[in-house]
Amino acid sequence: MKLIIDTDPGVDDAMALLMALASPELEILGLTTVFGNATTETTTANALTILEAAGRADIPVAVGATKPIASNYLGPVPQVHGANGLGGMTPTTPATSPIDEPAADFIHRTVTANPGQVTIVALGPLTNLAVAFDHYPDVCELVRQVVVMGGNALVPGNATPTAEANINNDPEAADLVFGAGWPVTMVGLDVTHQINLTGDAIDRITAPDTAPAGLLRSALPAYRSFFEQTNHIDGIYLHDPATIAYLLQPDAFTTQAWPLRVETESFSRGKTWPNLGDTDEAAPAAWQHRPLIDVCTGVNATQVAAAVEDRLTRT
Ligand code: BDR
Ligand code: CA
């Protein structure tokens, strides 16, 4: 399966990327970077650093948006992902550089060269996808599918009481992406807050004397502490890695097809709202004539956690 991964590394982005890089079923055609967990400058440096650790500096990295399409960047979250976005204090210093092509152009060029074959995995705010769709509307017919880590259909948020962090970082872009018409699967908090990678599993993943395990060994302690303090769990919830697990083992997930809108006003800004009714005609106007999104609502959490551990101990 051919992939473009749009990402804001990010500790759990790093886990998802290393998991995908360790999966022979997946062919990563490129990474595109976006602001979110840290600035785009930092997430780009981190993306390059992760590829270098995995020995895959041959994979191109295209730099994307530095701010949302219609609002201001809310800012980095060092309390979750560390000052450098990868759990630490010192900025990562990659030896390699991004390509000289903006993310949206890279996405369009790559899907045009591989019509109907490329899955876009979005692990950050949906700004780059919205820009790609805005500049090149035909991108919708050219991609195979879009798999989004983001949103919360039937559960509370994590960035705010109502909103999940990636969607909250650019609600206008998310509303555009969920309305564009490409096939979208949403892997949101409805399932990721059910999947706990335990402290014991983290210890096993970070034990090997390899560069990828070393990267996770320095990145994961601060991230793990965040979940201990915030969610009172021993371990971490698996957000971004769940998208890769979905690609590898879709049978571990159940989905429901709903039209989605994203709240862009007031205190529930960033909330993904599905219409649970079953006919377009009966839907309130805001949900009419919107494409159906496959929203993950159920997950075999044990199976997904095992898949993540399996892939991350292969690196
Ligand atoms: C999402 O927000 C970011 O903090 C994570 O990397 C993940 O993509 C979880 O809500
Ligand atoms: Ca992310």
Side-chain angles (χ1 to χ4, degrees):
M1 188 187 299
K2 297 182 192 300
L3 303 184
I4 294 172
I5 305 183
D6 187 72
T7 181
D8 63 333
V11 177
D12 63 325
D13 300 74
M15 296 176 72
L17 292 170
L18 292 172
M19 194 182 162
L21 289 161
S23 299
E25 305 94 328
L26 306 177
E27 179 190 359
I28 303 176
L29 302 179
L31 306 184
T32 52
T33 58
V34 65
F35 70 91
N37 293 323
T39 64
T40 306
E41 186 182 5
T42 298
T43 61
T44 302
N46 291 346
L48 293 165
T49 299
I50 293 160
L51 291 177
E52 289 173 15
R56 292 303 311 275
D58 58 297
I59 294 175
V61 176
V63 182
T66 56
K67 63 184 185 58
I69 58 172
S71 58
N72 295 319
Y73 176 31
L74 296 173
V77 282
Q79 69 279 19
V80 186
H81 293 273
N84 71 352
L86 284 181
M89 297 297 293
T90 317
T92 61
T93 49
T96 49
S97 303
I99 60 172
D100 190 20
E101 183 179 29
D105 295 0
F106 174 82
I107 289 171
H108 185 249
R109 182 173 60 80
T110 305
V111 301
T112 302
N114 301 274
Q117 295 177 58
V118 179
T119 294
I120 301 178
V121 181
L123 305 179
L126 293 171
T127 317
N128 289 337
L129 277 66
V131 172
F133 173 63
D134 183 54
H135 291 190
Y136 308 104
D138 64 331
V139 75
C140 278
E141 286 87 55
L142 291 166
V143 300
R144 174 176 166 179
Q145 61 175 335
V146 177
V147 178
V148 172
M149 191 285 128
N152 52 309
L154 305 176
V155 299
N158 60 354
T160 76
T162 62
E164 183 278 330
N166 287 338
I167 306 302
N168 191 50
N169 260 319
D170 197 344
E172 284 81 4
D175 198 47
L176 204 59
V177 167
F178 288 129
W182 38 21
V184 180
T185 300
M186 180 178 120
V187 183
L189 301 182
D190 301 82
V191 288
T192 65
H193 271 176
Q194 297 184 46
I195 316 166
N196 179 6
L197 188 73
T198 64
D200 286 347
I202 291 172
D203 291 343
R204 290 191 292 273
I205 286 167
T206 54
D209 185 20
T210 62
L215 188 147
L216 294 178
R217 200 157 49 241
S218 69
L220 274 164
Y223 193 60
R224 185 173 166 180
S225 299
F226 167 78
F227 283 100
E228 191 176 6
Q229 286 159 23
T230 309
N231 302 96
H232 312 293
I233 60 169
D234 172 32
I236 61 173
Y237 289 136
L238 288 171
H239 295 304
D240 293 343
T243 59
I244 308 301
Y246 173 78
L247 296 177
L248 296 170
Q249 300 184 10
D251 59 305
F253 296 82
T254 53
T255 60
Q256 299 194 62
W258 292 317
L260 278 185
R261 294 305 308 253
V262 180
E263 176 61 61
T264 56
E265 304 292 333
S266 192
F267 52 80
S268 62
R269 181 170 163 80
K271 170 76 177 81
T272 46
W273 286 115
N275 176 43
L276 307 181
D278 55 6
T279 64
D280 192 55
E281 301 74 43
W287 282 266
Q288 278 184 358
H289 316 308
R290 294 274 295 186
L292 298 179
I293 304 300
D294 284 330
V295 178
C296 291
T297 52
V299 63
N300 182 334
T302 309
Q303 182 180 338
V304 170
V308 171
E309 180 174 346
D310 169 45
R311 300 294 164 145
L312 287 178
T313 45
R314 288 185 193 187
T315 54

